[in-house]
Amino acid sequence: MPSFIKAINSQVGRKIMTGITGIGLMLFLIGHIVGNLTIFGAPEAFNIYTKTLEDLGPLLYVIEAGLAFFFLYHTILGVSIWWNRRKARPEGYKKYQTKGGPSHQSLASKSMVYTGIIILVFLVIHIWTFKFGDTEMVKLASGEMARDLRALVIEKFTDPLYAFGYTFVLSLLILHLSHGFWSAFTSLSMKSKEASKKVQMGAYGFAIVIMLAFIFIPLYIYFTGGSCDAALISCN
Amino acid sequence: MSKDMTIHLKYWKQAGPDVPGHFEEYTLDTVNEHMSFLEMLDVLNEELQLKGKEPVEFDYDCREGICGSCNLVINGQAHGPKAEVACCQLHMRNYKDGDKITIEPPRAAAFPIIKDLVVDRSAFDRIIEVGGYVSVKTGSAQEANALPVEKEKSDEAFEYAACIGCGACVAACPNASASLFTGAKLAHLNKFPQGEVERSNRAVAMVDQMKEEGFGDCSNFAECEAVCPKGISISAIAEMRRDYMKALVS
Ligand code: HEM
Ligand code: SF4
Ligand code: FES
């Protein structure tokens, strides 16, 4: 029996960990979008949601550290798998083409490392903008004070650079997940052809539905100017 | 009688493992649609020799798709354009008059070029050496029905046992991973009661040896399944991953 360290560094272990971290990150995205959509709820809903998260205190740090670990581990594995190709095939083909059929070589699968790295750069900007962005304090109906993140979000997304920058990066995430969702289950040893077909359909569904939900927010705010007259933005 | 075709060939020439190689070009005017791809190369070599040139080396043995010796990368596809066909069984009727064909050796650090289109695939042998066998007592043969094998399992094992070790999976994989080959060998042996005993050690040893030999990681591109002349499915890789994980808890 190999030691745990040896096992996760084996070619099988690396792939299983890519899958596990990938699924972890997808679960995080589900949580993230559910939270984000409160921006279209009652005027206070979004700020109550963000305050609830901040009030978790030490528990929030633990969650954040876990997430950071998942992102980092996923990135290290993804980049190193990609990097290893050069060593495994120092001299490439003059001519190369996929044979199609059962192959999963596609724009999405071939660009995983590029879409991934862009997502990572985006993540840094994203955290900088919202987690560490300047906000006013507002008084909630409960009397407590909270950061007015809702105002910051609306302000940022009325800026075309943010609104369309977000839309662009999130579209790349659709690409990442349209292969990644299937690939993660395959890494975790999904075997049957029928399951594989269904999971690939699920991958397209998941990637498109979740990312359209994400993309909807900046675009909606941008095109309505974030004004209180917009159907989905209630101010009072 | 079918008309002769003209085929423009471009093939890799390399004098030995550690010297740089290059492409050479040659146009054949007498290609017949009934020829196999390798017979077409025989004609090429005949013409080259008549002209006092060195023939191009390529690997083959059975020429009937069962030995796994041939493994040319043809126009960027391992074994050429047809699914589940080894290049020795590929016929020139798949090409038309005037076609250009580029022929390259399988490219992988673990498969060093011996000469021209011939590569050294002993890395596969070493993966087999560390676990691709079953240990049985020698002596007189056991009664055939002493070890019952379920029909489904023997059928499945047979599918995986069809691997001829050609290395097309490695050649076509963007990462030059040997996962399909190794997975097929593991899945084949682990399905039988005779193989069950060494199951865990076999999985760990063979998976580790792939890395040792310098094959890349698997990225689930599934290109290996598309080029495998025996149609071995990536379910073999799932079997390998399961066996490896089971080894951790056994
Ligand atoms: C929210 C963020 C992300 C999610 C939800 C996500 C999801 C996934 C999933 C589910 C997979 C399939 C795992 C597998 O093949 O087993 C995957 C693969 C991959 N991810 Fe991500 N990912 C994210 C961010 C990133 C980042 C920041 C990088 C940085 C480079 C990255 C690079 C890769 C690469 C290179 C692969 C392919 C691995 C391979 O070739 O085997 N991903 N991702
Ligand atoms: S798995 Fe298929 S492609 Fe790979 S060595 Fe075996 S027969 Fe060849
Ligand atoms: S020469 Fe034997 S399989 Fe092609």
Side-chain angles (χ1 to χ4, degrees):
Chain A
M1 192 184 106
S3 72
F4 180 69
I5 297 293
K6 188 168 168 242
I8 61 170
N9 285 318
S10 72
Q11 290 194 344
V12 167
R14 282 154 64 85
K15 205 54 210 164
I16 286 172
M17 294 315 287
T18 320
I20 291 177
T21 51
I23 289 179
L25 293 175
M26 291 195 295
L27 290 173
F28 156 71
L29 287 183
I30 296 176
H32 197 11
I33 187 59
V34 170
N36 286 3
L37 288 173
T38 60
I39 199 136
F40 296 130
E44 277 195 344
F46 191 72
N47 285 341
I48 293 176
Y49 154 65
T50 53
K51 183 169 161 47
T52 313
L53 284 184
E54 280 175 15
D55 287 349
L56 290 176
L59 183 60
L60 181 66
Y61 294 137
V62 174
I63 297 173
E64 283 176 345
L67 260 175
F69 175 76
F70 264 50
F71 263 106
L72 210 67
Y73 197 7
H74 185 80
T75 303
I76 291 172
L77 286 171
V79 172
S80 117
I81 289 171
W82 171 78
W83 188 255
N84 270 353
R85 279 181 204 187
R86 260 150 270 266
K87 274 192 276 170
R89 178 170 296 134
E91 178 150 11
Y93 293 103
K94 170 111 174 47
K95 200 163 176 184
Y96 179 83
Q97 53 180 326
T98 167
K99 210 151 166 172
S103 175
H104 277 257
Q105 275 203 86
S106 59
L107 177 65
S109 64
K110 285 194 278 193
S111 60
M112 292 303 272
V113 77
Y114 309 110
T115 48
I117 288 169
I118 296 173
I119 294 161
L120 198 65
V121 173
F122 162 82
L123 188 69
V124 175
I125 300 172
H126 178 58
I127 292 176
W128 184 258
T129 312
F130 291 120
K131 188 165 174 65
F132 299 107
D134 277 341
T135 45
E136 312 260 317
M137 295 302 281
V138 284
K139 198 169 188 174
L140 299 174
S142 62
E144 287 173 297
M145 298 302 282
R147 285 177 74 204
D148 195 1
L149 268 163
R150 179 178 196 261
L152 181 66
V153 169
I154 292 181
E155 177 204 317
K156 289 292 176 197
F157 287 154
T158 44
D159 177 343
L161 189 67
Y162 276 92
F164 294 107
Y166 267 63
T167 304
F168 171 70
V169 173
L170 294 171
S171 316
L172 293 184
L173 203 49
I174 296 189
L175 211 56
H176 198 85
L177 298 183
S178 67
H179 174 71
F181 185 98
W182 172 85
S183 183
F185 286 96
T186 304
S187 294
L188 297 177
S189 337
M190 170 174 65
K191 201 185 144 195
S192 94
K193 279 274 172 265
E194 297 78 59
S196 176
K197 282 207 185 82
K198 286 191 189 124
V199 169
Q200 182 60 73
M201 293 326 279
Y204 294 137
F206 177 80
I208 290 172
V209 168
I210 198 161
M211 285 303 133
L212 287 186
F214 269 105
I215 289 172
F216 180 69
I217 298 174
L219 288 187
Y220 187 81
I221 293 176
Y222 180 75
F223 286 110
T224 58
S227 106
C228 297
D229 301 335
L232 292 176
I233 301 178
S234 52
C235 293
N236 272 303
Chain B
M1 267 304 281
S2 57
K3 241 176 63 223
D4 282 351
M5 295 189 281
T6 298
I7 297 285
H8 306 285
L9 295 171
K10 183 169 181 176
Y11 49 88
W12 188 252
K13 281 293 287 176
Q14 183 171 332
D18 301 316
V19 295
H22 62 275
F23 280 99
E24 277 181 15
E25 292 183 28
Y26 194 91
T27 297
L28 281 176
D29 294 316
T30 53
V31 178
N32 184 289
E33 64 172 14
H34 300 302
M35 288 175 178
S36 75
F37 198 86
L38 302 190
E39 282 165 344
M40 183 270 297
L41 291 181
D42 292 337
V43 174
L44 165 73
N45 278 345
E46 226 167 65
E47 290 198 15
L48 286 173
Q49 277 168 301
L50 283 174
K51 293 189 173 166
K53 286 197 178 170
E54 199 188 61
V56 52
E57 301 279 344
F58 59 94
D59 236 343
Y60 66 88
D61 186 11
C62 71
R63 297 206 177 195
E64 54 182 10
I66 54 169
C67 76
S69 299
C70 63
N71 61 355
L72 302 172
V73 176
I74 303 166
N75 279 342
Q77 294 173 317
H79 289 302
K82 288 197 67 105
E84 296 189 35
V85 170
C87 61
C88 58
Q89 296 255 287
L90 176 69
H91 284 85
M92 292 313 292
R93 57 178 166 269
N94 293 293
Y95 295 91
K96 50 184 199 310
D97 193 31
D99 272 357
K100 293 192 172 95
I101 303 176
T102 304
I103 311 168
E104 293 178 77
R107 297 210 182 267
F111 287 169
I113 291 180
I114 299 173
K115 192 165 195 280
D116 300 344
L117 302 168
V118 181
V119 298
D120 176 1
R121 279 167 289 178
S122 45
F124 270 7
D125 300 337
R126 289 187 291 273
I127 292 176
I128 297 292
E129 273 165 29
V130 298
Y133 51 79
V134 291
S135 304
V136 287
K137 285 211 185 92
T138 53
S140 55
Q142 203 177 2
E143 205 275 310
N145 293 324
L147 277 176
V149 180
E150 293 157 47
K151 170 89 170 99
E152 292 79 34
K153 282 199 173 175
S154 78
D155 284 352
E156 225 187 318
F158 189 79
E159 303 259 310
Y160 295 125
C163 166
I164 52 177
C166 62
C169 42
V170 174
C173 174
N175 297 357
S177 163
S179 294
L180 192 65
F181 166 80
T182 307
K185 298 300 169 195
L186 281 169
H188 155 210
L189 294 170
N190 289 346
K191 296 273 165 228
F192 289 115
Q194 295 94 324
E196 184 67 39
V197 193
E198 291 155 304
R199 184 181 190 124
S200 293
N201 288 344
R202 173 181 305 121
V204 174
M206 290 174 72
V207 165
D208 287 346
Q209 193 63 29
M210 287 197 290
K211 192 171 183 175
E212 202 64 32
E213 296 293 341
F215 292 105
D217 290 276
C218 169
S219 274
N220 298 334
F221 284 117
E223 188 64 32
C224 49
E225 179 174 333
V227 299
C228 175
K230 298 294 135 187
I232 290 171
S233 145
I234 55 165
S235 62
I237 301 176
E239 293 271 357
M240 173 177 84
R241 290 176 176 149
R242 286 178 190 191
D243 282 330
Y244 194 94
M245 282 191 281
K246 276 190 205 145
L248 281 181
V249 288
S250 62

